[in-house]
PDB file of all heavy atoms in Angstrom:
ATOM      1  N   GLN A   1      -5.899  13.142  17.117  1.00 92.00           N
ATOM      2  CA  GLN A   1      -6.272  11.748  16.802  1.00 92.00           C
ATOM      3  C   GLN A   1      -5.327  10.793  17.480  1.00 92.00           C
ATOM      4  O   GLN A   1      -5.729   9.751  18.005  1.00 92.00           O
ATOM      5  CB  GLN A   1      -6.257  11.555  15.271  1.00 92.00           C
ATOM      6  CG  GLN A   1      -6.463  10.123  14.793  1.00 92.00           C
ATOM      7  CD  GLN A   1      -7.898   9.685  14.830  1.00 92.00           C
ATOM      8  OE1 GLN A   1      -8.807  10.513  14.944  1.00 92.00           O
ATOM      9  NE2 GLN A   1      -8.135   8.385  14.698  1.00 92.00           N
ATOM     10  N   ARG A   2      -4.024  11.121  17.475  1.00 92.00           N
ATOM     11  CA  ARG A   2      -3.054  10.242  18.132  1.00 92.00           C
ATOM     12  C   ARG A   2      -3.226  10.255  19.645  1.00 92.00           C
ATOM     13  O   ARG A   2      -2.989   9.237  20.315  1.00 92.00           O
ATOM     14  CB  ARG A   2      -1.630  10.721  17.777  1.00 92.00           C
ATOM     15  CG  ARG A   2      -1.248  10.479  16.330  1.00 92.00           C
ATOM     16  CD  ARG A   2      -0.908   9.039  16.071  1.00 92.00           C
ATOM     17  NE  ARG A   2       0.310   8.654  16.747  1.00 92.00           N
ATOM     18  CZ  ARG A   2       0.523   7.493  17.348  1.00 92.00           C
ATOM     19  NH1 ARG A   2      -0.415   6.570  17.374  1.00 92.00           N
ATOM     20  NH2 ARG A   2       1.677   7.227  17.948  1.00 92.00           N
ATOM     21  N   LEU A   3      -3.648  11.372  20.216  1.00 93.00           N
ATOM     22  CA  LEU A   3      -3.872  11.465  21.638  1.00 93.00           C
ATOM     23  C   LEU A   3      -5.116  10.694  22.057  1.00 93.00           C
ATOM     24  O   LEU A   3      -5.085   9.949  23.053  1.00 93.00           O
ATOM     25  CB  LEU A   3      -3.993  12.930  22.064  1.00 93.00           C
ATOM     26  CG  LEU A   3      -4.411  13.226  23.516  1.00 93.00           C
ATOM     27  CD1 LEU A   3      -3.314  12.757  24.465  1.00 93.00           C
ATOM     28  CD2 LEU A   3      -4.707  14.702  23.703  1.00 93.00           C
ATOM     29  N   GLU A   4      -6.187  10.850  21.315  1.00 94.00           N
ATOM     30  CA  GLU A   4      -7.494  10.324  21.753  1.00 94.00           C
ATOM     31  C   GLU A   4      -7.840   8.984  21.153  1.00 94.00           C
ATOM     32  O   GLU A   4      -8.762   8.313  21.672  1.00 94.00           O
ATOM     33  CB  GLU A   4      -8.568  11.353  21.419  1.00 94.00           C
ATOM     34  CG  GLU A   4      -8.406  12.647  22.176  1.00 94.00           C
ATOM     35  CD  GLU A   4      -9.438  13.707  21.824  1.00 94.00           C
ATOM     36  OE1 GLU A   4     -10.156  13.529  20.829  1.00 94.00           O
ATOM     37  OE2 GLU A   4      -9.523  14.717  22.549  1.00 94.00           O
ATOM     38  N   ALA A   5      -7.183   8.563  20.097  1.00 94.00           N
ATOM     39  CA  ALA A   5      -7.521   7.271  19.437  1.00 94.00           C
ATOM     40  C   ALA A   5      -6.253   6.564  18.986  1.00 94.00           C
ATOM     41  O   ALA A   5      -6.042   6.382  17.803  1.00 94.00           O
ATOM     42  CB  ALA A   5      -8.464   7.505  18.268  1.00 94.00           C
ATOM     43  N   PRO A   6      -5.396   6.163  19.934  1.00 95.00           N
ATOM     44  CA  PRO A   6      -4.135   5.492  19.562  1.00 95.00           C
ATOM     45  C   PRO A   6      -4.385   4.167  18.917  1.00 95.00           C
ATOM     46  O   PRO A   6      -5.441   3.523  19.083  1.00 95.00           O
ATOM     47  CB  PRO A   6      -3.415   5.365  20.889  1.00 95.00           C
ATOM     48  CG  PRO A   6      -4.511   5.326  21.904  1.00 95.00           C
ATOM     49  CD  PRO A   6      -5.572   6.247  21.392  1.00 95.00           C
ATOM     50  N   THR A   7      -3.362   3.674  18.171  1.00 96.00           N
ATOM     51  CA  THR A   7      -3.437   2.391  17.490  1.00 96.00           C
ATOM     52  C   THR A   7      -2.598   1.370  18.243  1.00 96.00           C
ATOM     53  O   THR A   7      -1.362   1.469  18.285  1.00 96.00           O
ATOM     54  CB  THR A   7      -2.905   2.523  16.051  1.00 96.00           C
ATOM     55  OG1 THR A   7      -3.685   3.482  15.340  1.00 96.00           O
ATOM     56  CG2 THR A   7      -2.948   1.174  15.327  1.00 96.00           C
ATOM     57  N   PRO A   8      -3.223   0.393  18.866  1.00 97.00           N
ATOM     58  CA  PRO A   8      -2.432  -0.659  19.541  1.00 97.00           C
ATOM     59  C   PRO A   8      -1.745  -1.529  18.530  1.00 97.00           C
ATOM     60  O   PRO A   8      -2.353  -1.996  17.550  1.00 97.00           O
ATOM     61  CB  PRO A   8      -3.483  -1.431  20.335  1.00 97.00           C
ATOM     62  CG  PRO A   8      -4.770  -1.214  19.602  1.00 97.00           C
ATOM     63  CD  PRO A   8      -4.677   0.158  18.983  1.00 97.00           C
ATOM     64  N   ARG A   9      -0.448  -1.823  18.735  1.00 98.00           N
ATOM     65  CA  ARG A   9       0.378  -2.540  17.730  1.00 98.00           C
ATOM     66  C   ARG A   9       0.306  -4.044  17.978  1.00 98.00           C
ATOM     67  O   ARG A   9       1.334  -4.715  18.148  1.00 98.00           O
ATOM     68  CB  ARG A   9       1.800  -2.021  17.789  1.00 98.00           C
ATOM     69  CG  ARG A   9       1.920  -0.524  17.553  1.00 98.00           C
ATOM     70  CD  ARG A   9       1.358  -0.106  16.199  1.00 98.00           C
ATOM     71  NE  ARG A   9       1.653   1.295  15.885  1.00 98.00           N
ATOM     72  CZ  ARG A   9       1.313   1.896  14.756  1.00 98.00           C
ATOM     73  NH1 ARG A   9       0.651   1.227  13.829  1.00 98.00           N
ATOM     74  NH2 ARG A   9       1.650   3.161  14.550  1.00 98.00           N
ATOM     75  N   VAL A  10      -0.909  -4.589  17.979  1.00 98.00           N
ATOM     76  CA  VAL A  10      -1.126  -5.973  18.321  1.00 98.00           C
ATOM     77  C   VAL A  10      -0.433  -6.920  17.327  1.00 98.00           C
ATOM     78  O   VAL A  10       0.226  -7.888  17.695  1.00 98.00           O
ATOM     79  CB  VAL A  10      -2.620  -6.261  18.423  1.00 98.00           C
ATOM     80  CG1 VAL A  10      -2.882  -7.741  18.647  1.00 98.00           C
ATOM     81  CG2 VAL A  10      -3.254  -5.452  19.537  1.00 98.00           C
ATOM     82  N   ALA A  11      -0.619  -6.646  16.040  1.00 98.00           N
ATOM     83  CA  ALA A  11      -0.027  -7.528  15.027  1.00 98.00           C
ATOM     84  C   ALA A  11       1.499  -7.523  15.104  1.00 98.00           C
ATOM     85  O   ALA A  11       2.139  -8.588  14.942  1.00 98.00           O
ATOM     86  CB  ALA A  11      -0.491  -7.110  13.626  1.00 98.00           C
ATOM     87  N   LEU A  12       2.097  -6.363  15.305  1.00 98.00           N
ATOM     88  CA  LEU A  12       3.540  -6.298  15.411  1.00 98.00           C
ATOM     89  C   LEU A  12       4.029  -7.091  16.620  1.00 98.00           C
ATOM     90  O   LEU A  12       5.024  -7.832  16.536  1.00 98.00           O
ATOM     91  CB  LEU A  12       3.997  -4.847  15.521  1.00 98.00           C
ATOM     92  CG  LEU A  12       5.522  -4.640  15.749  1.00 98.00           C
ATOM     93  CD1 LEU A  12       6.303  -5.186  14.556  1.00 98.00           C
ATOM     94  CD2 LEU A  12       5.855  -3.178  15.985  1.00 98.00           C
ATOM     95  N   GLY A  13       3.361  -6.955  17.749  1.00 98.00           N
ATOM     96  CA  GLY A  13       3.763  -7.676  18.931  1.00 98.00           C
ATOM     97  C   GLY A  13       3.825  -9.183  18.699  1.00 98.00           C
ATOM     98  O   GLY A  13       4.799  -9.842  19.094  1.00 98.00           O
ATOM     99  N   GLN A  14       2.808  -9.707  18.044  1.00 98.00           N
ATOM    100  CA  GLN A  14       2.800 -11.140  17.757  1.00 98.00           C
ATOM    101  C   GLN A  14       3.910 -11.508  16.752  1.00 98.00           C
ATOM    102  O   GLN A  14       4.514 -12.580  16.869  1.00 98.00           O
ATOM    103  CB  GLN A  14       1.438 -11.548  17.260  1.00 98.00           C
ATOM    104  CG  GLN A  14       0.331 -11.410  18.332  1.00 98.00           C
ATOM    105  CD  GLN A  14      -1.031 -11.723  17.782  1.00 98.00           C
ATOM    106  OE1 GLN A  14      -1.353 -12.826  17.418  1.00 98.00           O
ATOM    107  NE2 GLN A  14      -1.897 -10.700  17.726  1.00 98.00           N
ATOM    108  N   ALA A  15       4.130 -10.647  15.780  1.00 98.00           N
ATOM    109  CA  ALA A  15       5.165 -10.928  14.778  1.00 98.00           C
ATOM    110  C   ALA A  15       6.569 -10.908  15.374  1.00 98.00           C
ATOM    111  O   ALA A  15       7.482 -11.511  14.823  1.00 98.00           O
ATOM    112  CB  ALA A  15       5.067  -9.903  13.635  1.00 98.00           C
ATOM    113  N   LEU A  16       6.722 -10.225  16.500  1.00 98.00           N
ATOM    114  CA  LEU A  16       8.058 -10.122  17.124  1.00 98.00           C
ATOM    115  C   LEU A  16       8.368 -11.252  18.080  1.00 98.00           C
ATOM    116  O   LEU A  16       9.491 -11.341  18.588  1.00 98.00           O
ATOM    117  CB  LEU A  16       8.151  -8.790  17.902  1.00 98.00           C
ATOM    118  CG  LEU A  16       8.301  -7.531  17.063  1.00 98.00           C
ATOM    119  CD1 LEU A  16       8.193  -6.281  17.918  1.00 98.00           C
ATOM    120  CD2 LEU A  16       9.591  -7.527  16.258  1.00 98.00           C
ATOM    121  N   ARG A  17       7.400 -12.169  18.290  1.00 98.00           N
ATOM    122  CA  ARG A  17       7.709 -13.343  19.122  1.00 98.00           C
ATOM    123  C   ARG A  17       8.845 -14.140  18.482  1.00 98.00           C
ATOM    124  O   ARG A  17       8.804 -14.426  17.283  1.00 98.00           O
ATOM    125  CB  ARG A  17       6.487 -14.225  19.285  1.00 98.00           C
ATOM    126  CG  ARG A  17       5.378 -13.613  20.109  1.00 98.00           C
ATOM    127  CD  ARG A  17       4.359 -14.641  20.593  1.00 98.00           C
ATOM    128  NE  ARG A  17       3.786 -15.435  19.549  1.00 98.00           N
ATOM    129  CZ  ARG A  17       2.481 -15.492  19.245  1.00 98.00           C
ATOM    130  NH1 ARG A  17       1.607 -14.740  19.930  1.00 98.00           N
ATOM    131  NH2 ARG A  17       2.040 -16.278  18.296  1.00 98.00           N
ATOM    132  N   GLY A  18       9.843 -14.469  19.277  1.00 97.00           N
ATOM    133  CA  GLY A  18      10.987 -15.189  18.749  1.00 97.00           C
ATOM    134  C   GLY A  18      12.002 -14.331  18.050  1.00 97.00           C
ATOM    135  O   GLY A  18      13.040 -14.828  17.578  1.00 97.00           O
ATOM    136  N   VAL A  19      11.729 -13.040  17.939  1.00 98.00           N
ATOM    137  CA  VAL A  19      12.628 -12.085  17.270  1.00 98.00           C
ATOM    138  C   VAL A  19      13.155 -11.059  18.279  1.00 98.00           C
ATOM    139  O   VAL A  19      14.359 -10.883  18.412  1.00 98.00           O
ATOM    140  CB  VAL A  19      11.912 -11.374  16.111  1.00 98.00           C
ATOM    141  CG1 VAL A  19      12.812 -10.306  15.477  1.00 98.00           C
ATOM    142  CG2 VAL A  19      11.430 -12.368  15.070  1.00 98.00           C
ATOM    143  N   ALA A  20      12.253 -10.374  18.952  1.00 98.00           N
ATOM    144  CA  ALA A  20      12.641  -9.379  19.944  1.00 98.00           C
ATOM    145  C   ALA A  20      13.169 -10.043  21.197  1.00 98.00           C
ATOM    146  O   ALA A  20      12.665 -11.101  21.609  1.00 98.00           O
ATOM    147  CB  ALA A  20      11.468  -8.450  20.280  1.00 98.00           C
ATOM    148  N   SER A  21      14.131  -9.412  21.834  1.00 98.00           N
ATOM    149  CA  SER A  21      14.675  -9.924  23.100  1.00 98.00           C
ATOM    150  C   SER A  21      13.970  -9.331  24.289  1.00 98.00           C
ATOM    151  O   SER A  21      13.987  -9.909  25.387  1.00 98.00           O
ATOM    152  CB  SER A  21      16.182  -9.650  23.186  1.00 98.00           C
ATOM    153  OG  SER A  21      16.470  -8.286  22.954  1.00 98.00           O
ATOM    154  N   SER A  22      13.337  -8.159  24.115  1.00 98.00           N
ATOM    155  CA  SER A  22      12.528  -7.538  25.169  1.00 98.00           C
ATOM    156  C   SER A  22      11.572  -6.554  24.505  1.00 98.00           C
ATOM    157  O   SER A  22      11.810  -6.124  23.354  1.00 98.00           O
ATOM    158  CB  SER A  22      13.413  -6.815  26.208  1.00 98.00           C
ATOM    159  OG  SER A  22      14.028  -5.672  25.610  1.00 98.00           O
ATOM    160  N   ALA A  23      10.533  -6.163  25.210  1.00 98.00           N
ATOM    161  CA  ALA A  23       9.569  -5.214  24.652  1.00 98.00           C
ATOM    162  C   ALA A  23       8.697  -4.630  25.772  1.00 98.00           C
ATOM    163  O   ALA A  23       8.542  -5.241  26.838  1.00 98.00           O
ATOM    164  CB  ALA A  23       8.688  -5.885  23.614  1.00 98.00           C
ATOM    165  N   LEU A  24       8.175  -3.457  25.507  1.00 96.00           N
ATOM    166  CA  LEU A  24       7.130  -2.845  26.322  1.00 96.00           C
ATOM    167  C   LEU A  24       6.412  -1.822  25.464  1.00 96.00           C
ATOM    168  O   LEU A  24       6.851  -1.475  24.397  1.00 96.00           O
ATOM    169  CB  LEU A  24       7.657  -2.233  27.623  1.00 96.00           C
ATOM    170  CG  LEU A  24       8.835  -1.265  27.646  1.00 96.00           C
ATOM    171  CD1 LEU A  24       8.610  -0.009  26.849  1.00 96.00           C
ATOM    172  CD2 LEU A  24       9.152  -0.895  29.084  1.00 96.00           C
ATOM    173  N   ASP A  25       5.265  -1.326  25.957  1.00 96.00           N
ATOM    174  CA  ASP A  25       4.578  -0.284  25.237  1.00 96.00           C
ATOM    175  C   ASP A  25       4.913   1.082  25.844  1.00 96.00           C
ATOM    176  O   ASP A  25       5.194   1.210  27.043  1.00 96.00           O
ATOM    177  CB  ASP A  25       3.072  -0.515  25.155  1.00 96.00           C
ATOM    178  CG  ASP A  25       2.323  -0.145  26.430  1.00 96.00           C
ATOM    179  OD1 ASP A  25       2.887  -0.373  27.511  1.00 96.00           O
ATOM    180  OD2 ASP A  25       1.197   0.311  26.341  1.00 96.00           O
ATOM    181  N   VAL A  26       4.978   2.095  24.995  1.00 96.00           N
ATOM    182  CA  VAL A  26       5.338   3.447  25.398  1.00 96.00           C
ATOM    183  C   VAL A  26       4.066   4.187  25.782  1.00 96.00           C
ATOM    184  O   VAL A  26       3.340   4.672  24.928  1.00 96.00           O
ATOM    185  CB  VAL A  26       6.106   4.192  24.275  1.00 96.00           C
ATOM    186  CG1 VAL A  26       6.490   5.588  24.737  1.00 96.00           C
ATOM    187  CG2 VAL A  26       7.326   3.385  23.864  1.00 96.00           C
ATOM    188  N   SER A  27       3.827   4.256  27.087  1.00 93.00           N
ATOM    189  CA  SER A  27       2.604   4.904  27.568  1.00 93.00           C
ATOM    190  C   SER A  27       2.902   6.190  28.365  1.00 93.00           C
ATOM    191  O   SER A  27       2.184   7.167  28.238  1.00 93.00           O
ATOM    192  CB  SER A  27       1.802   3.951  28.448  1.00 93.00           C
ATOM    193  OG  SER A  27       2.589   3.425  29.482  1.00 93.00           O
ATOM    194  N   ASP A  28       3.972   6.179  29.154  1.00 90.00           N
ATOM    195  CA  ASP A  28       4.315   7.334  29.971  1.00 90.00           C
ATOM    196  C   ASP A  28       5.409   8.180  29.387  1.00 90.00           C
ATOM    197  O   ASP A  28       5.766   9.226  29.947  1.00 90.00           O
ATOM    198  CB  ASP A  28       4.707   6.880  31.390  1.00 90.00           C
ATOM    199  CG  ASP A  28       3.559   6.206  32.116  1.00 90.00           C
ATOM    200  OD1 ASP A  28       2.400   6.539  31.816  1.00 90.00           O
ATOM    201  OD2 ASP A  28       3.830   5.345  32.980  1.00 90.00           O
ATOM    202  N   GLY A  29       6.015   7.758  28.288  1.00 92.00           N
ATOM    203  CA  GLY A  29       7.136   8.490  27.664  1.00 92.00           C
ATOM    204  C   GLY A  29       8.273   7.513  27.407  1.00 92.00           C
ATOM    205  O   GLY A  29       8.545   6.613  28.205  1.00 92.00           O
ATOM    206  N   LEU A  30       8.947   7.660  26.265  1.00 95.00           N
ATOM    207  CA  LEU A  30       9.949   6.725  25.845  1.00 95.00           C
ATOM    208  C   LEU A  30      11.052   6.499  26.879  1.00 95.00           C
ATOM    209  O   LEU A  30      11.384   5.362  27.223  1.00 95.00           O
ATOM    210  CB  LEU A  30      10.583   7.203  24.522  1.00 95.00           C
ATOM    211  CG  LEU A  30      11.743   6.348  23.999  1.00 95.00           C
ATOM    212  CD1 LEU A  30      11.265   4.952  23.634  1.00 95.00           C
ATOM    213  CD2 LEU A  30      12.388   7.031  22.816  1.00 95.00           C
ATOM    214  N   LEU A  31      11.644   7.583  27.409  1.00 94.00           N
ATOM    215  CA  LEU A  31      12.761   7.417  28.326  1.00 94.00           C
ATOM    216  C   LEU A  31      12.334   6.743  29.626  1.00 94.00           C
ATOM    217  O   LEU A  31      13.009   5.867  30.123  1.00 94.00           O
ATOM    218  CB  LEU A  31      13.416   8.758  28.598  1.00 94.00           C
ATOM    219  CG  LEU A  31      14.008   9.505  27.398  1.00 94.00           C
ATOM    220  CD1 LEU A  31      14.802  10.725  27.881  1.00 94.00           C
ATOM    221  CD2 LEU A  31      14.885   8.589  26.561  1.00 94.00           C
ATOM    222  N   GLY A  32      11.242   7.190  30.184  1.00 92.00           N
ATOM    223  CA  GLY A  32      10.765   6.598  31.417  1.00 92.00           C
ATOM    224  C   GLY A  32      10.389   5.133  31.250  1.00 92.00           C
ATOM    225  O   GLY A  32      10.748   4.294  32.099  1.00 92.00           O
TER     226      GLY A  32
END
């Protein structure tokens, strides 16, 4: 289910405006 139907974290991204100093989505692997 996690492989084929991931959950985009849209609400979190908007909530982090003005809070996070940087961000990206983890698509190819955390370290990369």
Side-chain angles (χ1 to χ4, degrees):
Q1 174 78 15
R2 290 284 292 142
L3 173 66
E4 296 178 347
T7 300
R9 303 301 188 179
V10 174
L12 176 63
Q14 293 175 67
L16 287 172
R17 291 196 306 240
V19 176
S21 53
S22 69
L24 51 60
D25 77 324
V26 181
S27 54
D28 296 332
L30 176 64
L31 299 189

